Amino acid sequence: MTEEQKDLKKSAIPIKSLSKLSNKIYDEIANFEILMVGEMHGTKEPAEFVYGLCNLITESEKKVILALEIRASQMENLSNEMSIAQLKELDFFRRENFDGRNGVSMLDLIYNSIQNERIILKFIDNYYPSSTRDSSMYMEIRNIYNKHPNTKIVTLTGNVHNSFTPIFDKVRIGGYLLKDSVNFDSKKIMSINHVYSEGSMLNNDGTGLKISTIERKENIYNTTLSHEMFLYKKFPEEQNEYTHILYTDKVTASGIVEKDDR
């Protein structure tokens, strides 16, 4: 057994339910201020995990910020009293599902979050002139952080965005946060990448939105542990991109939001 396998057996925190996380998960995240969760758009598991994280945090802290990769202008008139049907009428959900983001998983995440008054929703995919998209989202996070000191911020974005290192030669949100030592302590920034062994997702490979199937492959996670889901802190020398992984043996495609008849 390799050293990495030994560490995996020792350190992985099993998860029974993504939406109802254990106190061991809280112990792992307690000292972090920014918790970035990455997803493949059009999947269920990261959205469920983010909701579970936010609920878990509110059991021990006064409030938590949930920042989503959505334009604020597309969520105008959102209120905590909205039903699922009313949420569907917001601009974000009425738009064509191009990349999987505005599917059932996001709809359920927002609906469930507004039921908890301690979860404060923010939308960070907004445009800043002369800035890249990742830089703009970083600036939104920075502004939220400065307006809500001592409040954890949980983000859900495409998994490219929460990387600490450049991807496709572009600095990502994680990289901008690490560079900003004036506002952020790098040791208090967690970046979680979603890893899986098989399943399906609703995404766009450039030829339109469709279900993609991931065939099962052996990896260190499914050959070392029997847990179907867990949170794992990576070796320090492997934390150049992400600090943690969320492992779910299967990834599941998010459904398309069915528009209600008017």
Side-chain angles (χ1 to χ4, degrees):
M1 185 176 289
T2 67
E3 289 301 313
E4 187 173 12
Q5 286 176 307
K6 291 177 182 177
D7 189 73
L8 184 58
K9 274 183 167 290
K10 176 185 176 182
S11 303
I13 305 172
I15 295 174
K16 292 183 178 180
S17 169
L18 291 169
S19 58
K20 295 181 180 179
L21 299 171
S22 69
N23 288 332
K24 287 185 177 180
I25 298 291
Y26 183 77
D27 291 342
E28 182 66 25
I29 68 161
N31 293 325
F32 289 88
E33 297 175 337
I34 309 293
L35 298 92
M36 300 183 291
V37 179
E39 67 164 3
M40 287 296 291
H41 295 323
T43 59
K44 290 183 178 180
E45 286 76 13
E48 291 179 11
F49 178 69
V50 159
Y51 172 66
L53 267 185
C54 289
N55 255 355
L56 182 67
I57 291 167
T58 61
E59 290 174 5
S60 300
E61 304 180 27
K62 291 182 179 180
K63 59 186 177 180
V64 63
I65 307 290
L66 173 54
L68 301 175
E69 188 184 345
I70 299 174
R71 291 184 184 179
S73 61
Q74 295 175 359
M75 296 298 291
E76 288 181 355
N77 302 318
L78 173 70
S79 74
N80 289 353
E81 294 76 33
M82 282 186 162
S83 64
I84 288 281
Q86 289 171 322
L87 286 176
K88 288 181 182 180
E89 292 300 312
L90 295 175
D91 184 34
F92 177 70
F93 290 109
R94 292 203 61 81
R95 288 171 176 262
E96 178 185 359
N97 192 332
F98 174 75
D99 59 7
R101 263 187 298 169
N102 53 339
V104 171
S105 294
M106 187 67 79
L107 180 68
D108 289 344
L109 171 59
I110 292 173
Y111 177 73
N112 290 330
S113 296
I114 62 177
Q115 309 307 307
N116 185 341
E117 62 182 10
R118 292 188 175 188
I119 299 176
I120 302 171
L121 280 169
K122 298 290 184 180
F123 307 103
I124 59 173
D125 191 11
N126 302 310
Y127 175 71
Y128 280 65
S130 303
S131 297
T132 64
R133 189 166 170 231
D134 282 84
S135 175
S136 294
M137 287 194 280
Y138 143 73
M139 286 189 279
E140 288 280 3
I141 293 169
R142 180 196 63 195
N143 293 342
I144 293 167
Y145 180 81
N146 288 330
K147 289 180 181 178
H148 298 269
N150 305 314
T151 301
K152 284 182 173 56
I153 299 174
V154 178
T155 70
L156 178 64
T157 65
N159 54 16
V160 165
H161 297 298
N162 64 315
S163 173
F164 290 142
T165 58
I167 295 181
F168 303 124
D169 296 323
K170 293 182 179 179
V171 178
R172 302 300 174 173
I173 297 172
Y176 284 111
L177 290 172
L178 286 188
K179 289 180 180 180
D180 185 356
S181 58
V182 173
N183 290 288
F184 301 102
D185 180 347
S186 62
K187 294 180 180 178
K188 294 185 177 183
I189 301 172
M190 178 185 288
S191 181
I192 305 172
N193 188 36
H194 182 210
V195 176
Y196 40 83
S197 294
E198 64 178 315
S200 61
M201 56 187 65
L202 182 72
N203 57 18
N204 189 335
D205 62 0
T207 60
L209 192 72
K210 59 186 177 184
I211 297 287
S212 299
T213 300
I214 295 89
E215 300 295 336
R216 188 170 187 82
K217 293 183 179 180
E218 286 192 349
N219 54 50
I220 186 175
Y221 306 113
N222 63 30
T223 57
T224 304
L225 298 177
S226 59
H227 307 309
E228 291 192 353
M229 299 186 294
F230 56 81
L231 181 69
Y232 173 60
K233 182 179 181 179
K234 301 181 72 174
F235 277 151
E237 59 267 26
E238 295 177 343
Q239 292 184 14
N240 57 325
E241 287 185 86
Y242 311 100
T243 62
H244 292 67
I245 67 157
L246 166 67
Y247 177 82
T248 65
D249 192 57
K250 293 180 173 60
V251 60
T252 313
S254 171
I256 295 176
V257 173
E258 298 293 336
K259 303 300 189 290
D260 296 328
D261 294 334
R262 289 191 167 186

